[in-house]
Amino acid sequence: MSNILLSSSLDEIGSIVSRFQTGGKVAIISDENVYDLYYERCRQSLDTAGFSIIGYKFKVGEKSKSVDTYIKILEFLAQNKLGRSDSIIALGGGVTGDLAGFVSATYLRGVKLFQIPTTVLSMVDSSVGGKTGINLESGKNLAGAFYMPEIILQDANFLSTLPMKELHNGHAEMIKMGIISGEELFKKVSEPLYNMDLNHISTLIKTCSELKMEIISTDFHDEGRRQILNLGHTIGHAIEKLSGYKISHGEAVAKGLSVISDISEMMNYCIKDTSDAIKNTLKKCKFNQEMPFSAEEISKAVRNDKKVRNDEISLILIEEIGRCKIVSMPLEEFDNCLREAMNRREI
Ligand SMILES: NC(=O)c1ccc[n+]([C@@H]2O[C@H](COP(=O)([O-])OP(=O)(O)OC[C@H]3O[C@@H](n4cnc5c(N)ncnc54)[C@H](O)[C@@H]3O)[C@@H](O)[C@H]2O)c1
């Protein structure tokens, strides 16, 4: 597996790509915000290294992770004659990484991909592990491919321009990693990120992304242990979709983590102290744990989740901090558990 995390600066991207390609074209794909902030620096570095560069910017937001934008980018690459031995750089957050990653996996049956994540969420999570994809009308990430980048370039300096709201958004995935990993990391990520300096955040990002890398290295195709990373996501994805993507991925995952800790406690997988610890951490880190949708609405939305097969859902439940379990249950049982857990909630 060639998924390499590289702590480096954006200015070095030209010499990094040179290790994989001599001359030729590089396409930089970004959303409008990131393009305006960082495209020129990226372009200059590649230009100095002797590449010819084409740039594509798309509208900011989850709605761009669509079939429409995907096709537009493919056409743009074809019109600009990007070839089999050329490369694509995904410069941006998780939306860019997923979209440009899927483009790389499918354009000419696959061209080299370099991931340059610029949000906390994309540094700790979405750029690591090779999952790429777009949303369909029916649900999130329903079309996609496993596709490894040559390199993931981690440069914490991107965080200096990241809005506070986005710093917060990525924090939910770090809390998830803490629950999966154990008390030591859970404690470290249980403080609001805006209280930490950039160096400290950068160290935590490194720990979380290395942990994810370690998990996926044992189960690249998500058939076993990797599913643990889905903690909080089945309900989270349903909330994101029901909100028309107005609720961010991180906010939705935080709500998902909160409800799944209630379900885990209700089903006697964990004790009350464990679910309280998770909900208190989410509260301390300023995540809103209120559920804006009914159990029935969530149950209906969950039916389009990739984790549903033959009317069974694969759910990640919490046994204790540092120990989660993959549990398969009939959808009907899930509906009942969700309804009961949501009725009991005091949040
Ligand atoms: N592939 C995976 O394994 C995986 C895992 C988790 C999440 N995801 C996906 O990731 C996506 C969410 O990613 P996200 O939260 O990074 O969203 P995003 O890509 O939309 O970025 C969030 C916002 O931050 C802005 N931004 C990005 N970097 C910036 C910077 N350095 N300075 C200033 N502004 C910046 C963007 O323009 C955007 O407005 C979702 O689509 C989710 O499904 C994928």
Side-chain angles (χ1 to χ4, degrees):
M1 205 165 53
S2 63
N3 207 341
I4 295 171
L5 274 172
L6 198 71
S7 297
S8 196
S9 151
L10 175 62
D11 300 313
E12 290 169 60
I13 188 64
S15 62
I16 291 167
V17 175
S18 301
R19 294 186 215 158
F20 299 86
Q21 177 181 334
T22 315
K25 286 196 183 106
V26 180
I28 303 170
I29 302 175
S30 287
D31 73 20
E32 286 164 340
N33 289 343
V34 177
Y35 192 100
D36 293 349
L37 284 164
Y38 296 109
Y39 172 79
E40 191 45 34
R41 256 178 71 197
C42 190
R43 193 201 63 76
Q44 270 184 23
S45 173
L46 291 159
D47 184 59
T48 308
F51 296 106
S52 72
I53 301 108
I54 52 174
Y56 188 96
K57 67 171 161 180
F58 62 87
K59 259 181 115 168
V60 170
E62 184 72 27
K63 289 217 162 115
S64 287
K65 236 175 85 173
S66 63
V67 175
D68 186 41
T69 318
Y70 166 70
I71 299 288
K72 280 188 180 138
I73 300 176
L74 290 179
E75 288 291 358
F76 170 81
L77 299 178
Q79 278 157 18
N80 283 280
K81 305 207 169 354
L82 194 90
R84 283 298 303 270
S85 50
D86 296 331
S87 301
I88 291 177
I89 292 181
L91 175 65
V95 166
T96 305
D98 282 8
L99 175 65
F102 187 44
V103 166
S104 306
T106 48
Y107 178 72
L108 301 181
R109 299 198 182 88
V111 293
K112 285 184 290 299
L113 168 68
F114 295 84
Q115 288 276 10
I116 309 186
T118 62
T119 61
V120 173
L121 186 140
S122 54
M123 289 178 192
V124 285
D125 195 2
S126 61
S127 69
V128 182
K131 277 191 185 175
T132 70
I134 54 173
N135 305 324
L136 302 182
E137 292 287 322
S138 304
K140 254 189 81 96
N141 303 328
L142 289 185
F146 287 98
Y147 198 67
M148 293 306 262
E150 306 299 325
I151 287 286
I152 304 159
L153 189 156
Q154 300 262 23
D155 180 355
N157 290 314
F158 286 120
L159 303 184
S160 63
T161 57
L162 195 65
M164 201 58 89
K165 164 172 147 289
E166 296 304 335
L167 206 63
H168 182 61
N169 186 28
H171 193 185
E173 296 287 357
M174 295 169 88
I175 294 172
K176 178 197 81 175
M177 284 302 195
I179 300 170
I180 291 171
S181 167
E183 288 291 351
E184 194 186 336
L185 182 60
F186 182 66
K187 217 165 155 204
K188 285 185 186 160
V189 297
S190 293
E191 294 288 329
L193 290 192
Y194 55 77
N195 283 351
M196 300 178 193
D197 67 33
L198 207 61
N199 280 340
H200 189 48
I201 299 175
S202 166
T203 310
L204 291 178
I205 287 174
K206 193 167 179 307
T207 309
C208 291
S209 52
E210 284 173 356
L211 173 66
K212 177 164 180 185
M213 190 82 89
E214 189 270 313
I215 292 172
I216 62 138
S217 68
T218 59
D219 175 28
F220 181 52
H221 285 105
D222 204 5
E223 288 153 349
R225 186 171 170 232
R226 183 174 182 165
Q227 290 178 35
I228 292 287
L229 295 168
N230 206 40
L231 177 65
H233 279 60
T234 301
I235 294 170
H237 281 162
I239 294 169
E240 248 185 304
K241 180 166 185 291
L242 285 167
S243 77
Y245 301 108
K246 286 199 181 77
I247 297 179
S248 71
H249 184 74
E251 288 287 352
V253 166
K255 290 179 196 295
L257 290 174
S258 176
V259 175
I260 213 66
S261 45
D262 279 336
I263 294 179
S264 302
E265 180 194 332
M266 197 184 81
M267 294 181 75
N268 293 320
Y269 278 88
C270 73
I271 56 171
K272 187 172 184 309
D273 283 0
T274 304
S275 73
D276 282 351
I278 293 167
K279 288 182 286 183
N280 287 338
T281 286
L282 292 167
K283 188 171 171 196
K284 189 174 170 195
C285 297
K286 307 277 184 260
F287 283 102
N288 177 342
Q289 295 171 66
E290 277 166 32
M291 292 299 282
F293 305 105
S294 67
E296 287 69 27
E297 286 171 311
I298 294 171
S299 280
K300 206 170 157 205
V302 151
R303 277 161 168 70
N304 280 325
D305 197 280
K306 292 193 298 300
K307 305 293 174 204
V308 173
R309 270 178 221 142
N310 303 329
D311 287 337
E312 291 246 326
I313 186 158
S314 189
L315 213 57
I316 313 305
L317 296 177
I318 302 155
E319 295 182 311
E320 60 183 7
I321 304 296
R323 197 151 53 91
C324 294
K325 192 174 176 153
I326 306 166
V327 177
S328 187
M329 65 171 82
L331 275 170
E332 214 173 302
E333 188 183 340
F334 169 76
D335 296 346
N336 294 336
C337 286
L338 180 67
R339 195 176 332 106
E340 200 180 329
M342 281 179 63
N343 279 341
R344 287 191 195 182
R345 270 165 79 81
E346 283 153 16
I347 292 161

